[in-house]
Coordinates of all heavy atoms in Angstrom, one line a residue:
M187 N 78.4 108.0 95.4 CA 77.4 107.2 95.1 C 76.1 107.8 95.6 O 76.1 108.5 96.6 CB 77.6 105.8 95.7 CG 77.5 105.7 97.2 SD 78.0 104.2 97.9 CE 79.0 104.6 99.2
Q188 N 74.9 107.4 95.0 CA 73.6 107.8 95.3 C 73.0 106.7 96.3 O 73.0 105.6 96.0 CB 72.7 107.9 94.1 CG 72.1 109.2 94.1 CD 71.3 109.3 92.8 OE1 71.4 108.5 91.9 NE2 70.6 110.5 92.6
C189 N 72.6 107.2 97.5 CA 72.0 106.3 98.4 C 70.5 106.3 98.4 O 69.9 107.4 98.4 CB 72.5 106.5 99.8 SG 74.3 106.4 100.1
P190 N 69.8 105.1 98.5 CA 68.4 105.2 98.4 C 67.8 105.6 99.8 O 68.5 105.7 100.8 CB 68.0 103.6 98.3 CG 69.2 102.9 98.8 CD 70.4 103.8 98.5
D191 N 66.6 106.1 99.8 CA 65.9 106.6 101.0 C 65.9 105.5 102.1 O 65.9 105.8 103.3 CB 64.6 107.2 100.8 CG 64.7 108.5 99.9 OD1 65.7 109.2 100.0 OD2 63.7 108.7 99.0
D192 N 65.7 104.3 101.6 CA 65.5 103.1 102.6 C 66.8 102.4 102.9 O 66.9 101.2 103.2 CB 64.5 102.1 102.1 CG 64.9 101.5 100.8 OD1 65.9 101.9 100.1 OD2 64.3 100.6 100.3
L193 N 67.9 103.2 102.9 CA 69.3 102.5 103.1 C 69.5 101.8 104.3 O 70.2 100.8 104.3 CB 70.3 103.7 103.0 CG 71.8 103.3 103.1 CD1 72.2 102.5 101.9 CD2 72.7 104.5 103.2
G194 N 68.9 102.3 105.4 CA 69.1 101.6 106.6 C 70.1 102.2 107.5 O 70.4 101.9 108.7
Y195 N 70.8 103.3 106.9 CA 71.7 104.1 107.7 C 71.3 105.5 107.5 O 71.5 106.1 106.5 CB 73.1 103.9 107.1 CG 74.2 104.6 107.9 CD1 74.4 104.4 109.3 CD2 75.1 105.6 107.2 CE1 75.4 105.0 109.9 CE2 76.1 106.2 108.0 CZ 76.2 106.0 109.2 OH 77.2 106.7 110.0
P196 N 70.5 106.1 108.5 CA 69.9 107.4 108.4 C 70.8 108.5 107.9 O 70.4 109.5 107.2 CB 69.3 107.6 109.8 CG 69.2 106.3 110.4 CD 70.3 105.5 109.8
V197 N 72.1 108.5 108.4 CA 73.0 109.6 108.0 C 73.2 109.7 106.5 O 73.3 110.8 105.9 CB 74.4 109.3 108.7 CG1 75.4 110.4 108.3 CG2 74.2 109.3 110.2
W198 N 73.2 108.6 105.8 CA 73.4 108.6 104.3 C 72.2 108.4 103.5 O 72.2 108.7 102.3 CB 74.4 107.4 103.9 CG 75.8 107.6 104.4 CD1 76.3 108.7 105.2 CD2 76.8 106.7 104.2 NE1 77.6 108.4 105.4 CE2 78.0 107.3 104.8 CE3 77.0 105.6 103.4 CZ2 79.2 106.7 104.7 CZ3 78.2 105.0 103.3 CH2 79.3 105.5 104.0
A199 N 71.1 108.0 104.1 CA 69.8 107.7 103.4 C 69.4 108.9 102.5 O 69.3 110.1 103.0 CB 68.7 107.3 104.4
G200 N 69.2 108.6 101.2 CA 68.7 109.7 100.3 C 69.7 110.7 99.9 O 69.4 111.7 99.3
K201 N 71.0 110.5 100.3 CA 72.0 111.4 100.0 C 73.0 110.9 98.9 O 73.1 109.7 98.7 CB 72.7 111.8 101.2 CG 71.8 112.5 102.2 CD 72.5 113.0 103.4 CE 71.5 113.8 104.3 NZ 71.9 113.8 105.7
N202 N 73.9 111.8 98.4 CA 75.0 111.4 97.6 C 76.1 111.3 98.5 O 76.4 112.2 99.3 CB 75.3 112.5 96.5 CG 74.1 112.5 95.4 OD1 73.8 111.4 95.0 ND2 73.7 113.7 95.2
V203 N 76.9 110.2 98.4 CA 78.1 110.0 99.3 C 79.3 109.8 98.4 O 79.3 109.1 97.5 CB 77.9 108.7 100.2 CG1 79.1 108.5 101.0 CG2 76.7 108.8 101.0
L204 N 80.4 110.6 98.8 CA 81.6 110.5 98.1 C 82.7 109.9 99.1 O 82.9 110.3 100.2 CB 82.1 111.9 97.7 CG 83.4 112.1 97.1 CD1 83.5 111.4 95.7 CD2 83.8 113.5 96.9
L205 N 83.3 108.8 98.6 CA 84.4 108.0 99.4 C 85.6 108.3 98.6 O 85.8 108.1 97.4 CB 84.1 106.6 99.4 CG 82.7 106.2 100.0 CD1 82.6 104.6 99.9 CD2 82.6 106.5 101.5
V206 N 86.7 108.8 99.3 CA 87.9 109.1 98.7 C 89.0 108.4 99.5 O 89.2 108.6 100.7 CB 88.3 110.6 98.7 CG1 89.6 110.9 98.1 CG2 87.2 111.4 97.9
A207 N 89.7 107.4 98.9 CA 90.8 106.7 99.5 C 92.1 107.5 99.4 O 92.4 108.0 98.3 CB 91.0 105.3 98.9
V208 N 92.7 107.7 100.4 CA 94.0 108.6 100.5 C 95.2 107.8 100.8 O 95.2 106.9 101.6 CB 93.8 109.7 101.6 CG1 95.0 110.6 101.7 CG2 92.5 110.5 101.5
E209 N 96.2 108.1 100.0 CA 97.6 107.4 100.1 C 97.3 105.9 99.8 O 97.7 105.1 100.7 CB 98.2 107.7 101.4 CG 98.7 109.2 101.5 CD 99.5 109.4 102.7 OE1 100.4 108.6 103.2 OE2 99.2 110.5 103.4
V210 N 96.8 105.6 98.7 CA 96.5 104.3 98.4 C 97.8 103.5 98.0 O 98.7 104.0 97.3 CB 95.6 104.2 97.1 CG1 95.4 102.8 96.6 CG2 94.3 104.9 97.4
V211 N 97.9 102.3 98.7 CA 99.1 101.4 98.4 C 98.8 100.5 97.3 O 99.6 100.2 96.4 CB 99.5 100.7 99.7 CG1 100.5 99.6 99.5 CG2 100.0 101.7 100.8
A212 N 97.6 100.0 97.4 CA 97.2 98.9 96.4 C 95.7 98.8 96.2 O 94.9 99.0 97.2 CB 97.8 97.6 96.7
T213 N 95.2 98.5 95.0 CA 93.8 98.2 94.9 C 93.7 96.9 94.0 O 94.7 96.6 93.2 CB 93.0 99.2 94.2 OG1 93.5 99.4 92.9 CG2 93.0 100.5 95.0
K214 N 92.7 96.1 94.1 CA 92.5 95.0 93.3 C 91.0 95.0 93.0 O 90.1 95.2 93.9 CB 92.9 93.6 94.0 CG 92.6 92.4 93.2 CD 93.0 91.2 94.0 CE 92.5 90.0 93.3 NZ 92.3 88.8 94.3
S215 N 90.7 94.8 91.7 CA 89.2 94.8 91.4 C 88.9 93.5 90.6 O 89.8 93.1 89.7 CB 88.8 96.1 90.6 OG 89.6 96.2 89.5
F216 N 87.8 93.1 90.7 CA 87.2 92.0 89.9 C 85.8 92.6 89.5 O 84.9 92.8 90.2 CB 87.0 90.8 90.8 CG 86.3 89.7 90.0 CD1 87.0 88.9 89.1 CD2 84.9 89.5 90.1 CE1 86.4 87.8 88.4 CE2 84.2 88.5 89.3 CZ 85.0 87.7 88.6
L217 N 85.7 92.8 88.1 CA 84.5 93.5 87.6 C 83.9 92.6 86.5 O 84.7 92.2 85.6 CB 84.9 94.9 87.0 CG 85.5 95.9 88.0 CD1 86.0 97.2 87.3 CD2 84.5 96.3 89.1
W218 N 82.7 92.4 86.5 CA 82.0 91.7 85.4 C 81.8 92.7 84.3 O 81.3 93.7 84.5 CB 80.6 91.2 85.9 CG 80.8 90.1 86.9 CD1 80.5 90.1 88.2 CD2 81.2 88.7 86.6 NE1 80.7 88.9 88.8 CE2 81.1 88.0 87.8 CE3 81.5 88.0 85.5 CZ2 81.5 86.7 87.9 CZ3 81.8 86.7 85.6 CH2 81.9 86.0 86.8
G219 N 82.4 92.4 83.2 CA 82.5 93.3 82.1 C 81.1 93.8 81.6 O 80.9 95.0 81.2
W220 N 80.1 93.0 81.5 CA 78.8 93.4 80.9 C 78.1 94.3 81.9 O 77.1 94.9 81.6 CB 77.9 92.2 80.6 CG 77.6 91.3 81.8 CD1 76.5 91.5 82.6 CD2 78.2 90.2 82.3 NE1 76.5 90.6 83.6 CE2 77.5 89.8 83.5 CE3 79.4 89.5 82.0 CZ2 78.0 88.6 84.2 CZ3 79.9 88.5 82.7 CH2 79.1 88.0 83.8
V221 N 78.6 94.6 83.2 CA 77.9 95.5 84.0 C 78.8 96.6 84.5 O 78.4 97.4 85.3 CB 77.2 94.8 85.2 CG1 76.1 93.9 84.8 CG2 78.3 94.0 86.0
A222 N 80.0 96.6 84.1 CA 81.0 97.6 84.5 C 80.4 99.0 84.1 O 80.0 99.2 83.0 CB 82.4 97.4 83.9
G223 N 80.3 99.9 85.0 CA 79.7 101.1 84.8 C 78.7 101.5 86.0 O 79.1 101.4 87.1
R224 N 77.5 101.8 85.7 CA 76.6 102.2 86.8 C 76.3 100.9 87.7 O 75.8 99.9 87.1 CB 75.3 102.7 86.2 CG 74.4 103.4 87.3 CD 73.3 104.2 86.5 NE 72.5 104.8 87.5 CZ 72.8 106.0 88.0 NH1 73.8 106.7 87.6 NH2 71.9 106.6 88.8
E225 N 76.6 101.0 88.9 CA 76.4 99.9 89.8 C 75.8 100.3 91.1 O 75.7 101.6 91.4 CB 77.8 99.3 90.2 CG 78.4 98.5 89.1 CD 78.2 97.0 89.4 OE1 77.2 96.6 90.0 OE2 79.1 96.3 88.9
T226 N 75.3 99.4 91.9 CA 74.9 99.7 93.3 C 75.8 99.0 94.2 O 76.2 97.9 94.1 CB 73.4 99.1 93.4 OG1 72.6 99.6 92.4 CG2 72.9 99.3 94.8
V227 N 76.2 99.8 95.2 CA 77.1 99.3 96.3 C 76.2 98.5 97.3 O 75.2 98.9 97.8 CB 77.8 100.5 97.1 CG1 78.6 99.9 98.3 CG2 78.7 101.2 96.2
D228 N 76.6 97.2 97.4 CA 75.9 96.3 98.4 C 76.5 96.4 99.8 O 75.7 96.4 100.7 CB 76.0 94.8 97.9 CG 74.9 94.5 96.9 OD1 74.0 95.3 96.7 OD2 75.0 93.4 96.3
A229 N 77.8 96.5 99.8 CA 78.4 96.5 101.2 C 79.8 97.1 101.1 O 80.5 97.0 100.0 CB 78.5 95.1 101.7
I230 N 80.3 97.7 102.2 CA 81.7 98.0 102.4 C 82.0 97.3 103.7 O 81.5 97.6 104.7 CB 81.8 99.6 102.5 CG1 81.3 100.3 101.2 CG2 83.3 100.0 102.8 CD1 81.2 101.8 101.2
R231 N 83.0 96.5 103.6 CA 83.4 95.7 104.7 C 84.9 95.9 105.1 O 85.7 96.1 104.1 CB 83.2 94.2 104.4 CG 81.7 93.9 104.2 CD 81.5 92.4 104.2 NE 80.1 92.1 104.2 CZ 79.4 91.9 103.1 NH1 80.0 92.1 101.9 NH2 78.1 91.6 103.1
P232 N 85.3 95.8 106.3 CA 86.6 95.9 106.7 C 87.3 94.7 106.2 O 86.8 93.6 106.1 CB 86.6 96.0 108.3 CG 85.3 95.5 108.7 CD 84.4 95.7 107.5
R233 N 88.6 94.9 105.9 CA 89.5 93.8 105.5 C 89.5 93.5 104.0 O 88.5 93.8 103.4 CB 89.3 92.5 106.2 CG 89.3 92.5 107.7 CD 90.5 93.0 108.5 NE 91.7 92.2 108.1 CZ 92.9 92.7 108.0 NH1 93.2 93.9 108.5 NH2 93.9 91.9 107.7
V234 N 90.6 93.1 103.5 CA 90.7 92.6 102.1 C 91.0 91.1 102.2 O 91.2 90.6 103.3 CB 91.7 93.3 101.3 CG1 91.5 94.7 101.1 CG2 93.2 93.1 101.9
S235 N 90.9 90.4 101.1 CA 91.1 89.0 101.1 C 92.5 88.5 101.4 O 93.4 89.3 101.2 CB 90.7 88.4 99.7 OG 91.7 88.9 98.8
D236 N 92.7 87.3 102.0 CA 93.9 86.8 102.3 C 94.8 86.7 101.1 O 96.0 86.9 101.1 CB 93.8 85.5 102.9 CG 93.2 85.5 104.4 OD1 93.3 86.6 105.0 OD2 92.7 84.5 104.9
G237 N 94.2 86.4 100.0 CA 94.9 86.2 98.7 C 95.5 87.6 98.2 O 96.7 87.6 97.7
F238 N 94.8 88.7 98.5 CA 95.3 90.0 98.1 C 96.3 90.4 98.9 O 97.5 90.9 98.5 CB 94.2 91.0 98.1 CG 94.5 92.4 97.6 CD1 95.3 92.5 96.5 CD2 94.0 93.5 98.2 CE1 95.7 93.8 96.0 CE2 94.4 94.8 97.8 CZ 95.2 94.9 96.7
L239 N 96.2 90.1 100.3 CA 97.4 90.4 101.2 C 98.7 89.7 100.9 O 99.7 90.2 100.9 CB 97.0 90.1 102.7 CG 96.0 91.1 103.3 CD1 95.5 90.5 104.7 CD2 96.5 92.5 103.4
A240 N 98.4 88.4 100.5 CA 99.6 87.5 100.1 C 100.3 88.1 98.8 O 101.5 88.1 98.7 CB 99.2 86.1 99.9
M241 N 99.4 88.6 97.9 CA 99.9 89.2 96.7 C 100.8 90.4 97.0 O 101.8 90.6 96.4 CB 98.8 89.6 95.8 CG 99.2 90.1 94.4 SD 97.8 90.8 93.4 CE 96.7 89.3 93.4
I242 N 100.4 91.2 97.8 CA 101.1 92.4 98.3 C 102.4 92.0 98.9 O 103.5 92.6 98.6 CB 100.3 93.3 99.2 CG1 99.1 93.8 98.5 CG2 101.2 94.4 99.8 CD1 98.1 94.6 99.4
K243 N 102.4 91.1 99.8 CA 103.6 90.6 100.4 C 104.6 89.9 99.5 O 105.8 90.0 99.7 CB 103.3 89.7 101.6 CG 102.6 90.4 102.7 CD 102.1 89.6 103.8 CE 101.5 90.3 104.9 NZ 101.0 89.5 105.9
R244 N 104.2 89.4 98.4 CA 105.1 88.8 97.3 C 105.7 89.8 96.5 O 106.7 89.6 95.8 CB 104.2 87.8 96.4 CG 104.0 86.5 97.1 CD 103.6 85.4 96.1 NE 102.5 85.9 95.2 CZ 101.1 85.6 95.5 NH1 100.7 85.0 96.6 NH2 100.2 86.1 94.7
W245 N 105.2 91.1 96.4 CA 105.7 92.1 95.6 C 107.0 92.5 96.2 O 107.2 92.8 97.4 CB 104.7 93.3 95.6 CG 105.2 94.5 94.9 CD1 105.6 94.6 93.6 CD2 105.4 95.8 95.5 NE1 106.0 95.9 93.3 CE2 105.9 96.6 94.5 CE3 105.1 96.4 96.7 CZ2 106.1 98.0 94.7 CZ3 105.3 97.7 97.0 CH2 105.8 98.5 95.9
P246 N 108.0 92.5 95.4 CA 109.4 92.8 95.9 C 109.6 94.1 96.5 O 110.4 94.3 97.5 CB 110.3 92.7 94.7 CG 109.6 91.9 93.7 CD 108.1 92.1 94.0
G247 N 108.8 95.1 96.1 CA 108.9 96.5 96.6 C 108.2 96.6 98.0 O 108.3 97.7 98.6
H248 N 107.6 95.6 98.5 CA 106.9 95.8 99.8 C 107.8 95.9 101.0 O 107.5 96.5 102.0 CB 105.8 94.7 100.0 CG 106.4 93.5 100.8 ND1 107.1 92.6 100.2 CD2 106.2 93.1 102.1 CE1 107.5 91.6 101.1 NE2 107.0 92.0 102.3
R249 N 109.1 95.4 100.8 CA 110.0 95.5 101.9 C 110.2 96.9 102.4 O 110.5 97.8 101.5 CB 111.3 94.8 101.5 CG 111.1 93.3 101.4 CD 112.4 92.7 100.9 NE 112.3 91.2 100.7 CZ 111.8 90.7 99.7 NH1 111.3 91.5 98.7 NH2 111.7 89.4 99.6
G250 N 110.1 97.2 103.6 CA 110.3 98.5 104.1 C 109.1 99.4 104.0 O 109.1 100.5 104.4
L251 N 108.1 98.9 103.3 CA 106.8 99.6 103.2 C 106.0 99.6 104.5 O 105.7 98.5 105.1 CB 106.1 99.0 102.1 CG 104.6 99.6 101.7 CD1 104.8 101.0 101.1 CD2 103.9 98.7 100.8
Q252 N 105.7 100.7 105.0 CA 104.8 100.8 106.1 C 103.4 100.4 105.7 O 102.8 101.1 104.9 CB 104.8 102.2 106.7 CG 103.9 102.5 107.8 CD 104.6 102.4 109.1 OE1 105.8 102.4 109.3 NE2 103.9 102.3 110.2
F253 N 102.9 99.4 106.2 CA 101.5 98.9 105.8 C 100.5 99.8 106.4 O 100.5 100.2 107.6 CB 101.3 97.5 106.3 CG 100.3 96.8 105.5 CD1 100.6 96.2 104.3 CD2 98.9 96.7 105.9 CE1 99.6 95.6 103.5 CE2 98.0 96.0 105.2 CZ 98.4 95.5 104.0
P254 N 99.6 100.3 105.5 CA 98.6 101.3 105.9 C 97.7 100.8 107.0 O 97.6 99.6 107.2 CB 97.9 101.7 104.6 CG 98.8 101.3 103.6 CD 99.6 100.1 104.1
K255 N 97.0 101.8 107.6 CA 96.0 101.5 108.7 C 94.8 100.8 108.2 O 94.0 100.3 109.0 CB 95.7 102.7 109.4 CG 97.0 103.4 110.1 CD 96.5 104.8 110.6 CE 97.7 105.6 111.0 NZ 97.4 107.0 111.3
L256 N 94.4 101.0 107.0 CA 93.1 100.7 106.5 C 93.1 99.8 105.3 O 93.7 100.1 104.4 CB 92.4 102.0 106.1 CG 90.9 102.0 105.8 CD1 90.1 101.5 106.9 CD2 90.4 103.4 105.5
D257 N 92.3 98.7 105.4 CA 92.0 98.0 104.2 C 90.5 97.5 104.2 O 90.0 97.2 105.3 CB 93.0 96.7 104.1 CG 92.9 95.8 105.3 OD1 93.2 96.3 106.5 OD2 92.7 94.6 105.2
F258 N 89.9 97.6 103.1 CA 88.5 97.3 103.0 C 88.1 96.7 101.6 O 88.8 96.9 100.7 CB 87.6 98.5 103.4 CG 87.9 99.7 102.5 CD1 87.1 99.9 101.3 CD2 88.9 100.6 102.8 CE1 87.4 101.1 100.6 CE2 89.1 101.7 102.0 CZ 88.3 101.9 100.9
T259 N 86.9 96.1 101.6 CA 86.4 95.6 100.3 C 84.9 96.2 100.1 O 84.2 96.2 100.9 CB 86.3 94.0 100.4 OG1 87.6 93.6 100.6 CG2 85.6 93.5 99.1
I260 N 84.8 96.6 98.8 CA 83.5 97.2 98.3 C 82.9 96.1 97.5 O 83.5 95.7 96.5 CB 83.6 98.5 97.6 CG1 84.4 99.5 98.5 CG2 82.3 99.0 97.1 CD1 84.8 100.8 97.7
S261 N 81.7 95.6 97.8 CA 81.0 94.7 97.0 C 79.8 95.3 96.3 O 79.1 96.1 96.9 CB 80.4 93.6 97.9 OG 81.4 92.9 98.6
L262 N 79.7 95.1 95.0 CA 78.7 95.7 94.2 C 77.6 94.7 93.8 O 77.7 93.5 94.0 CB 79.4 96.2 92.9 CG 80.5 97.2 93.1 CD1 81.3 97.5 91.8 CD2 80.2 98.4 93.9
S263 N 76.5 95.3 93.4 CA 75.3 94.5 93.2 C 75.6 93.4 92.1 O 74.9 92.4 92.1 CB 74.2 95.4 92.8 OG 74.5 96.0 91.6
S264 N 76.4 93.6 91.2 CA 76.7 92.5 90.1 C 77.5 91.4 90.6 O 77.7 90.4 89.9 CB 77.4 93.2 89.0 OG 78.7 93.6 89.4
G265 N 78.1 91.5 91.8 CA 79.1 90.5 92.3 C 80.5 90.9 92.1 O 81.4 90.3 92.6
S266 N 80.7 92.1 91.5 CA 82.0 92.7 91.3 C 82.5 93.1 92.7 O 81.7 93.4 93.6 CB 82.0 93.9 90.4 OG 81.5 93.5 89.1
Q267 N 83.9 93.2 92.9 CA 84.4 93.7 94.1 C 85.6 94.5 93.9 O 86.4 94.4 92.8 CB 84.9 92.4 95.0 CG 83.7 91.6 95.5 CD 84.2 90.6 96.5 OE1 85.3 90.2 96.5 NE2 83.3 90.3 97.5
I268 N 85.8 95.4 94.8 CA 87.1 96.3 94.7 C 87.7 96.2 96.1 O 87.0 96.5 97.1 CB 86.6 97.7 94.4 CG1 85.9 97.8 93.1 CG2 87.9 98.6 94.4 CD1 85.2 99.1 92.8
E269 N 88.9 95.8 96.1 CA 89.7 95.7 97.4 C 90.7 96.9 97.4 O 91.4 97.2 96.4 CB 90.4 94.4 97.5 CG 89.5 93.2 97.6 CD 90.3 91.9 97.7 OE1 90.6 91.3 96.7 OE2 90.4 91.5 98.8
V270 N 90.8 97.6 98.6 CA 91.5 98.7 98.7 C 92.5 98.7 100.0 O 91.9 98.4 101.1 CB 90.7 100.0 98.8 CG1 91.5 101.3 98.9 CG2 89.8 100.1 97.6
V271 N 93.7 99.1 99.9 CA 94.6 99.2 101.0 C 95.1 100.7 100.9 O 95.7 101.1 99.9 CB 95.8 98.3 100.9 CG1 96.7 98.4 102.1 CG2 95.3 96.8 100.9
C272 N 94.8 101.4 102.0 CA 95.1 102.8 102.0 C 95.4 103.4 103.4 O 95.1 102.6 104.4 CB 94.1 103.7 101.3 SG 92.5 103.6 102.2
E273 N 95.8 104.5 103.5 CA 96.1 105.2 104.8 C 94.9 105.7 105.4 O 94.7 105.7 106.7 CB 97.2 106.3 104.6 CG 97.7 106.8 105.9 CD 98.5 105.9 106.8 OE1 99.0 104.9 106.2 OE2 98.4 105.9 108.0
E274 N 94.0 106.3 104.6 CA 92.7 106.9 105.2 C 91.6 106.9 104.2 O 91.8 106.8 103.0 CB 93.1 108.4 105.4 CG 92.1 109.3 105.9 CD 92.6 110.8 106.0 OE1 93.8 111.0 105.8 OE2 91.7 111.7 106.2
L275 N 90.4 106.9 104.7 CA 89.3 107.0 103.9 C 88.5 108.2 104.3 O 88.1 108.4 105.4 CB 88.3 105.8 104.0 CG 87.1 105.7 103.2 CD1 87.4 105.7 101.7 CD2 86.2 104.5 103.6
Q276 N 88.3 109.2 103.3 CA 87.5 110.4 103.6 C 86.1 110.2 103.1 O 86.0 109.7 101.9 CB 88.2 111.6 102.9 CG 89.6 111.9 103.5 CD 90.2 113.1 102.7 OE1 89.8 113.5 101.7 NE2 91.4 113.5 103.3
I277 N 85.2 110.6 103.9 CA 83.7 110.5 103.5 C 83.0 111.7 103.6 O 83.1 112.5 104.7 CB 83.0 109.4 104.5 CG1 83.8 108.1 104.4 CG2 81.6 109.3 104.0 CD1 83.4 107.1 105.5
S278 N 82.4 112.1 102.6 CA 81.5 113.4 102.6 C 80.1 113.0 102.0 O 80.0 112.1 101.1 CB 82.2 114.5 101.9 OG 82.4 114.3 100.6
Y279 N 79.1 113.7 102.5 CA 77.8 113.5 101.9 C 77.0 114.8 101.8 O 77.3 115.7 102.6 CB 77.1 112.4 102.7 CG 77.0 112.6 104.1 CD1 76.1 113.4 104.8 CD2 78.1 112.1 105.0 CE1 76.0 113.6 106.2 CE2 78.1 112.3 106.3 CZ 77.0 113.1 107.0 OH 77.0 113.3 108.3
Y280 N 76.1 114.8 101.0 CA 75.3 116.0 100.6 C 74.0 115.7 100.1 O 73.7 114.5 99.6 CB 76.1 117.0 99.8 CG 76.5 116.4 98.5 CD1 75.7 116.4 97.4 CD2 77.8 115.7 98.4 CE1 76.2 115.9 96.2 CE2 78.2 115.1 97.3 CZ 77.4 115.3 96.1 OH 77.9 114.7 94.9

């Protein structure tokens, strides 16, 4: 993603940031169709919704599954959201 100069986080301000989720167990997205495509990231917050966690636990294949260390939600400017459960998040910027 391209970060604005006035981001408020000097390390990423004015830079391109690449986020890579590693060993993804599950994702859930809610996207508004008329804006799917170029978006602005409003926030990346720890945790996913209780509803998504419950959905994962209802999945028959979850038994014996080691629950990953990381879960987070990405909120986009349109109101769209992406929830991710994974083992690791790799971040690089340039």
